[in-house]
Amino acid sequence: MAGGRPMRSPRARDAVIAGLTMPWNSGVVEGHVNRIKMLKRQMFGRAGFQLLRKRVLLAP
């Protein structure tokens, strides 16, 4: 931190502006990623990759 404010890069500023002005977003993808992470947390230590794969592909 410089002077009590977080350092901001020009790329971060451009990304924020694009996110606020573009007509599309990545909300649907983020929802799928969130669902997969939730299933992964539930399955931790319970079974192997094959069962996790089935749950990811078959869960609503």
Coordinates of all heavy atoms in Angstrom, one line a residue:
M1 N 0.8 -1.2 0.0 CA 0.0 0.0 0.0 C 0.9 1.2 0.0 O 1.9 1.3 0.7 CB -0.9 0.0 1.2 CG -2.0 -1.0 1.2 SD -2.9 -0.9 2.7 CE -4.4 -0.3 2.2
A2 N 0.5 2.2 -0.8 CA 1.2 3.4 -0.8 C 0.3 4.6 -0.4 O -0.7 4.9 -1.0 CB 1.7 3.7 -2.3
G3 N 0.7 5.2 0.7 CA -0.1 6.3 1.2 C -1.5 5.9 1.7 O -2.4 6.7 1.7
G4 N -1.6 4.6 2.2 CA -2.9 4.2 2.7 C -3.9 3.7 1.6 O -5.0 3.4 1.9
R5 N -3.5 3.8 0.4 CA -4.4 3.4 -0.7 C -3.8 2.2 -1.5 O -2.6 2.2 -1.6 CB -4.6 4.5 -1.7 CG -5.4 5.7 -1.1 CD -5.5 6.8 -2.1 NE -6.0 6.4 -3.4 CZ -6.4 7.2 -4.3 NH1 -6.4 8.5 -4.2 NH2 -6.8 6.7 -5.5
P6 N -4.6 1.3 -1.9 CA -4.1 0.1 -2.6 C -3.5 0.6 -4.0 O -4.0 1.6 -4.6 CB -5.2 -0.8 -2.8 CG -6.4 0.0 -2.6 CD -6.0 1.2 -1.7
M7 N -2.5 0.0 -4.4 CA -1.9 0.3 -5.7 C -2.8 -0.2 -6.8 O -3.3 -1.3 -6.8 CB -0.5 -0.3 -5.9 CG 0.5 0.3 -4.9 SD 2.1 -0.4 -5.0 CE 2.6 0.2 -6.5
R8 N -3.1 0.6 -7.8 CA -4.0 0.2 -8.9 C -3.2 0.2 -10.2 O -2.5 1.2 -10.5 CB -5.1 1.2 -9.0 CG -6.0 1.2 -7.8 CD -7.2 2.0 -8.1 NE -8.1 2.0 -6.9 CZ -8.2 2.9 -6.0 NH1 -7.4 3.9 -6.0 NH2 -9.0 2.7 -5.0
S9 N -3.3 -0.8 -11.0 CA -2.6 -0.9 -12.2 C -3.6 -0.4 -13.4 O -4.8 -0.5 -13.2 CB -2.2 -2.3 -12.5 OG -3.3 -3.1 -12.8
P10 N -3.0 0.1 -14.5 CA -3.9 0.5 -15.6 C -4.7 -0.7 -16.1 O -5.9 -0.5 -16.5 CB -2.9 1.0 -16.6 CG -1.7 1.3 -15.9 CD -1.6 0.4 -14.7
R11 N -4.2 -1.9 -16.1 CA -5.0 -3.1 -16.5 C -6.2 -3.3 -15.7 O -7.2 -3.7 -16.1 CB -4.1 -4.3 -16.6 CG -3.1 -4.3 -17.7 CD -2.3 -5.6 -17.8 NE -3.2 -6.7 -18.1 CZ -3.0 -7.9 -17.9 NH1 -1.8 -8.3 -17.4 NH2 -3.8 -8.9 -18.2
A12 N -6.0 -3.2 -14.3 CA -7.1 -3.4 -13.4 C -8.2 -2.3 -13.7 O -9.4 -2.7 -13.7 CB -6.6 -3.3 -12.0
R13 N -7.8 -1.1 -13.9 CA -8.8 0.0 -14.2 C -9.5 -0.3 -15.5 O -10.7 -0.2 -15.6 CB -8.0 1.3 -14.3 CG -8.9 2.5 -14.5 CD -8.1 3.8 -14.5 NE -9.0 4.9 -14.5 CZ -9.4 5.5 -15.7 NH1 -8.9 5.0 -16.8 NH2 -10.1 6.6 -15.6
D14 N -8.8 -0.7 -16.5 CA -9.4 -1.1 -17.8 C -10.4 -2.2 -17.6 O -11.5 -2.2 -18.2 CB -8.4 -1.4 -18.8 CG -7.5 -0.2 -19.2 OD1 -7.9 0.9 -19.0 OD2 -6.4 -0.5 -19.8
A15 N -10.0 -3.2 -16.8 CA -10.9 -4.4 -16.6 C -12.2 -3.9 -15.9 O -13.3 -4.4 -16.3 CB -10.2 -5.4 -15.8
V16 N -12.1 -3.0 -14.9 CA -13.3 -2.6 -14.2 C -14.2 -1.8 -15.2 O -15.4 -2.0 -15.2 CB -12.9 -1.7 -13.0 CG1 -14.1 -1.0 -12.4 CG2 -12.2 -2.6 -11.9
I17 N -13.6 -0.9 -16.0 CA -14.4 -0.1 -16.9 C -15.1 -1.0 -17.9 O -16.3 -0.8 -18.2 CB -13.5 0.9 -17.6 CG1 -13.1 2.0 -16.6 CG2 -14.2 1.6 -18.8 CD1 -12.0 3.0 -17.1
A18 N -14.4 -2.0 -18.4 CA -15.0 -2.9 -19.4 C -16.1 -3.7 -18.7 O -17.2 -3.9 -19.3 CB -13.9 -3.9 -19.9
G19 N -15.9 -4.1 -17.5 CA -16.9 -4.9 -16.8 C -18.2 -4.1 -16.6 O -19.3 -4.6 -16.5
L20 N -18.1 -2.8 -16.4 CA -19.2 -2.0 -16.1 C -19.9 -1.4 -17.4 O -21.1 -1.0 -17.4 CB -18.8 -0.7 -15.3 CG -18.4 -1.1 -13.9 CD1 -17.8 0.1 -13.2 CD2 -19.5 -1.7 -13.1
T21 N -19.2 -1.5 -18.5 CA -19.8 -0.9 -19.7 C -20.1 -1.9 -20.8 O -20.9 -1.6 -21.7 CB -18.8 0.1 -20.4 OG1 -17.5 -0.5 -20.6 CG2 -18.5 1.3 -19.4
M22 N -19.6 -3.1 -20.8 CA -19.9 -4.1 -21.8 C -21.3 -4.7 -21.5 O -21.7 -4.9 -20.4 CB -18.8 -5.2 -21.8 CG -17.5 -4.7 -22.2 SD -17.5 -4.3 -23.9 CE -15.9 -3.6 -24.1
P23 N -21.9 -5.1 -22.6 CA -23.3 -5.7 -22.5 C -23.3 -7.2 -22.0 O -24.4 -7.7 -21.8 CB -23.9 -5.5 -23.9 CG -22.7 -5.6 -24.8 CD -21.6 -4.9 -24.0
W24 N -22.2 -7.8 -21.9 CA -22.1 -9.2 -21.5 C -21.2 -9.3 -20.3 O -20.4 -8.5 -20.0 CB -21.7 -10.1 -22.6 CG -20.3 -9.7 -23.2 CD1 -19.1 -10.1 -22.7 CD2 -20.0 -8.9 -24.3 NE1 -18.1 -9.6 -23.4 CE2 -18.6 -8.8 -24.4 CE3 -20.8 -8.2 -25.2 CZ2 -18.0 -8.1 -25.4 CZ3 -20.2 -7.4 -26.1 CH2 -18.8 -7.4 -26.2
N25 N -21.4 -10.5 -19.6 CA -20.5 -10.7 -18.4 C -20.3 -12.2 -18.3 O -20.8 -13.0 -19.1 CB -21.2 -10.2 -17.2 CG -22.5 -10.8 -16.8 OD1 -22.7 -12.0 -16.9 ND2 -23.5 -9.9 -16.5
S26 N -19.6 -12.6 -17.3 CA -19.2 -14.0 -17.1 C -20.0 -14.7 -16.0 O -19.6 -15.6 -15.4 CB -17.7 -14.2 -16.9 OG -17.4 -13.4 -15.7
G27 N -21.2 -14.1 -15.7 CA -22.0 -14.6 -14.6 C -22.4 -16.1 -14.7 O -22.3 -16.8 -13.7
V28 N -22.7 -16.5 -15.9 CA -23.1 -17.9 -16.0 C -22.0 -18.9 -15.8 O -22.1 -19.9 -15.0 CB -23.7 -18.2 -17.4 CG1 -24.0 -19.7 -17.7 CG2 -25.0 -17.4 -17.6
V29 N -20.8 -18.5 -16.3 CA -19.6 -19.3 -16.1 C -19.2 -19.3 -14.6 O -18.9 -20.4 -14.0 CB -18.4 -18.8 -16.9 CG1 -17.1 -19.5 -16.6 CG2 -18.7 -18.9 -18.4
E30 N -19.3 -18.2 -14.0 CA -19.0 -18.1 -12.5 C -19.9 -19.0 -11.7 O -19.6 -19.6 -10.7 CB -19.0 -16.7 -12.0 CG -17.9 -15.8 -12.6 CD -16.5 -16.2 -12.2 OE1 -16.4 -16.8 -11.1 OE2 -15.6 -16.0 -12.9
G31 N -21.2 -19.0 -12.1 CA -22.2 -19.9 -11.4 C -21.8 -21.4 -11.5 O -21.9 -22.1 -10.6
H32 N -21.4 -21.8 -12.7 CA -20.9 -23.2 -12.9 C -19.7 -23.5 -12.1 O -19.6 -24.6 -11.5 CB -20.7 -23.5 -14.4 CG -21.9 -23.6 -15.2 ND1 -22.9 -24.5 -15.0 CD2 -22.4 -22.8 -16.2 CE1 -23.9 -24.4 -15.9 NE2 -23.6 -23.3 -16.6
V33 N -18.7 -22.6 -12.1 CA -17.5 -22.8 -11.3 C -17.9 -22.9 -9.8 O -17.3 -23.7 -9.1 CB -16.5 -21.6 -11.6 CG1 -15.4 -21.7 -10.6 CG2 -16.0 -21.7 -13.0
N34 N -18.8 -22.0 -9.3 CA -19.2 -22.1 -7.9 C -19.8 -23.4 -7.6 O -19.5 -24.0 -6.5 CB -20.1 -20.9 -7.7 CG -20.5 -20.8 -6.2 OD1 -19.6 -21.0 -5.3 ND2 -21.7 -20.5 -5.9
R35 N -20.7 -23.9 -8.5 CA -21.3 -25.2 -8.3 C -20.3 -26.3 -8.2 O -20.4 -27.2 -7.3 CB -22.3 -25.5 -9.4 CG -23.1 -26.8 -9.2 CD -24.1 -26.9 -10.4 NE -23.4 -27.1 -11.7 CZ -23.0 -28.3 -12.1 NH1 -23.2 -29.4 -11.4 NH2 -22.4 -28.3 -13.3
I36 N -19.3 -26.3 -9.1 CA -18.3 -27.4 -9.1 C -17.5 -27.3 -7.9 O -17.2 -28.3 -7.3 CB -17.5 -27.3 -10.4 CG1 -18.3 -27.6 -11.6 CG2 -16.2 -28.1 -10.3 CD1 -17.6 -27.4 -12.9
K37 N -17.1 -26.1 -7.4 CA -16.3 -26.0 -6.2 C -17.1 -26.5 -5.0 O -16.5 -27.1 -4.1 CB -15.9 -24.5 -6.0 CG -14.8 -24.1 -6.9 CD -14.4 -22.6 -6.6 CE -13.3 -22.2 -7.5 NZ -12.8 -20.8 -7.1
M38 N -18.4 -26.2 -4.9 CA -19.2 -26.7 -3.8 C -19.3 -28.2 -3.8 O -19.1 -28.8 -2.8 CB -20.7 -26.1 -4.0 CG -21.6 -26.4 -2.8 SD -22.9 -27.7 -3.1 CE -23.4 -27.4 -4.8
L39 N -19.5 -28.8 -5.0 CA -19.5 -30.3 -5.1 C -18.1 -30.8 -4.6 O -18.0 -31.8 -3.9 CB -19.8 -30.7 -6.5 CG -21.3 -30.6 -6.9 CD1 -21.4 -30.8 -8.4 CD2 -22.2 -31.5 -6.1
K40 N -17.1 -30.2 -5.1 CA -15.7 -30.7 -4.7 C -15.5 -30.6 -3.2 O -14.9 -31.5 -2.6 CB -14.7 -29.8 -5.4 CG -13.3 -30.3 -5.3 CD -12.3 -29.4 -6.1 CE -10.9 -29.8 -5.9 NZ -10.0 -29.0 -6.6
R41 N -16.0 -29.5 -2.5 CA -15.9 -29.4 -1.1 C -16.7 -30.5 -0.4 O -16.2 -31.1 0.6 CB -16.3 -28.0 -0.6 CG -15.3 -26.9 -0.8 CD -15.7 -25.7 0.0 NE -17.0 -25.2 -0.4 CZ -17.2 -24.3 -1.4 NH1 -16.2 -23.8 -2.1 NH2 -18.4 -23.9 -1.7
Q42 N -17.9 -30.8 -0.9 CA -18.7 -31.8 -0.3 C -18.0 -33.2 -0.4 O -18.2 -34.1 0.5 CB -20.1 -31.9 -1.0 CG -20.9 -30.7 -0.6 CD -22.3 -30.8 -1.3 OE1 -22.4 -31.5 -2.3 NE2 -23.2 -30.0 -0.9
M43 N -17.3 -33.4 -1.5 CA -16.8 -34.8 -1.8 C -15.4 -35.0 -1.2 O -14.8 -36.0 -1.3 CB -16.7 -35.0 -3.3 CG -18.0 -35.0 -4.0 SD -19.1 -36.3 -3.5 CE -18.2 -37.7 -4.1
F44 N -14.8 -33.9 -0.6 CA -13.4 -34.0 -0.2 C -13.2 -35.2 0.8 O -13.9 -35.3 1.8 CB -13.0 -32.7 0.5 CG -11.5 -32.7 1.0 CD1 -10.5 -32.6 0.1 CD2 -11.2 -33.0 2.3 CE1 -9.2 -32.6 0.5 CE2 -9.9 -33.0 2.7 CZ -8.9 -32.8 1.8
G45 N -12.3 -36.1 0.5 CA -12.0 -37.2 1.3 C -13.0 -38.4 1.3 O -12.8 -39.4 2.0
R46 N -14.0 -38.3 0.5 CA -15.0 -39.3 0.4 C -14.8 -40.4 -0.6 O -15.1 -41.5 -0.4 CB -16.4 -38.7 0.2 CG -16.8 -37.8 1.4 CD -18.2 -37.4 1.2 NE -18.5 -36.4 2.3 CZ -19.8 -36.1 2.6 NH1 -20.8 -36.7 1.9 NH2 -20.0 -35.3 3.6
A47 N -14.4 -40.0 -1.8 CA -14.3 -40.9 -2.9 C -13.3 -40.4 -3.9 O -12.8 -39.3 -3.8 CB -15.7 -41.1 -3.5
G48 N -13.1 -41.1 -4.9 CA -12.1 -40.8 -6.0 C -12.7 -39.8 -7.0 O -13.8 -39.3 -6.9
F49 N -11.8 -39.6 -8.0 CA -12.2 -38.6 -9.0 C -13.4 -39.1 -9.8 O -14.2 -38.2 -10.3 CB -10.9 -38.4 -9.9 CG -11.2 -37.5 -11.1 CD1 -11.3 -36.1 -10.9 CD2 -11.4 -38.0 -12.3 CE1 -11.6 -35.3 -11.9 CE2 -11.7 -37.2 -13.4 CZ -11.8 -35.8 -13.2
Q50 N -13.5 -40.4 -10.1 CA -14.6 -40.9 -10.9 C -16.0 -40.5 -10.3 O -16.9 -40.1 -11.1 CB -14.5 -42.4 -11.1 CG -13.3 -42.8 -12.0 CD -13.4 -42.1 -13.4 OE1 -14.5 -42.0 -14.0 NE2 -12.3 -41.7 -13.8
L51 N -16.2 -40.6 -9.0 CA -17.4 -40.3 -8.4 C -17.6 -38.8 -8.4 O -18.8 -38.3 -8.7 CB -17.5 -40.8 -7.0 CG -18.8 -40.5 -6.2 CD1 -20.0 -41.1 -7.0 CD2 -18.8 -41.0 -4.8
L52 N -16.6 -38.0 -8.2 CA -16.7 -36.5 -8.3 C -17.1 -36.1 -9.7 O -18.0 -35.3 -9.9 CB -15.4 -35.9 -7.9 CG -15.3 -34.4 -8.1 CD1 -16.3 -33.7 -7.2 CD2 -13.9 -33.8 -7.8
R53 N -16.5 -36.8 -10.7 CA -16.8 -36.5 -12.1 C -18.3 -36.8 -12.4 O -19.0 -36.0 -13.0 CB -15.9 -37.3 -13.0 CG -16.2 -37.1 -14.5 CD -15.1 -37.9 -15.3 NE -15.3 -37.6 -16.7 CZ -16.1 -38.2 -17.5 NH1 -16.9 -39.2 -17.1 NH2 -16.2 -37.9 -18.8
K54 N -18.8 -37.9 -11.9 CA -20.2 -38.2 -12.1 C -21.1 -37.2 -11.5 O -22.1 -36.8 -12.0 CB -20.5 -39.6 -11.5 CG -20.0 -40.7 -12.4 CD -20.4 -42.1 -11.8 CE -19.8 -43.2 -12.7 NZ -20.2 -44.5 -12.2
R55 N -20.8 -36.8 -10.2 CA -21.6 -35.8 -9.6 C -21.6 -34.5 -10.3 O -22.7 -33.8 -10.4 CB -21.2 -35.6 -8.1 CG -21.5 -36.8 -7.3 CD -21.7 -36.5 -5.9 NE -22.7 -35.5 -5.6 CZ -22.8 -34.8 -4.4 NH1 -22.0 -35.2 -3.4 NH2 -23.6 -33.9 -4.2
V56 N -20.5 -34.1 -10.8 CA -20.4 -32.8 -11.5 C -21.2 -32.9 -12.8 O -22.0 -31.9 -13.1 CB -18.9 -32.4 -11.9 CG1 -18.8 -31.3 -12.9 CG2 -18.2 -32.0 -10.6
L57 N -21.1 -34.0 -13.5 CA -21.8 -34.1 -14.8 C -23.3 -34.3 -14.6 O -24.1 -33.9 -15.5 CB -21.2 -35.2 -15.6 CG -19.8 -34.9 -16.1 CD1 -19.2 -36.2 -16.8 CD2 -19.7 -33.7 -17.0
L58 N -23.7 -35.0 -13.5 CA -25.2 -35.3 -13.4 C -25.9 -34.4 -12.5 O -27.2 -34.4 -12.5 CB -25.3 -36.8 -12.8 CG -24.7 -37.8 -13.8 CD1 -24.8 -39.2 -13.1 CD2 -25.4 -37.8 -15.1
A59 N -25.2 -33.6 -11.7 CA -26.0 -32.7 -10.7 C -26.7 -31.6 -11.5 O -26.2 -31.1 -12.5 CB -25.0 -32.1 -9.8
P60 N -27.9 -31.2 -11.1 CA -28.6 -30.1 -11.8 C -27.9 -28.8 -11.7 O -27.2 -28.5 -10.9 CB -29.9 -30.1 -11.1 CG -29.8 -30.8 -9.8 CD -28.5 -31.7 -9.9

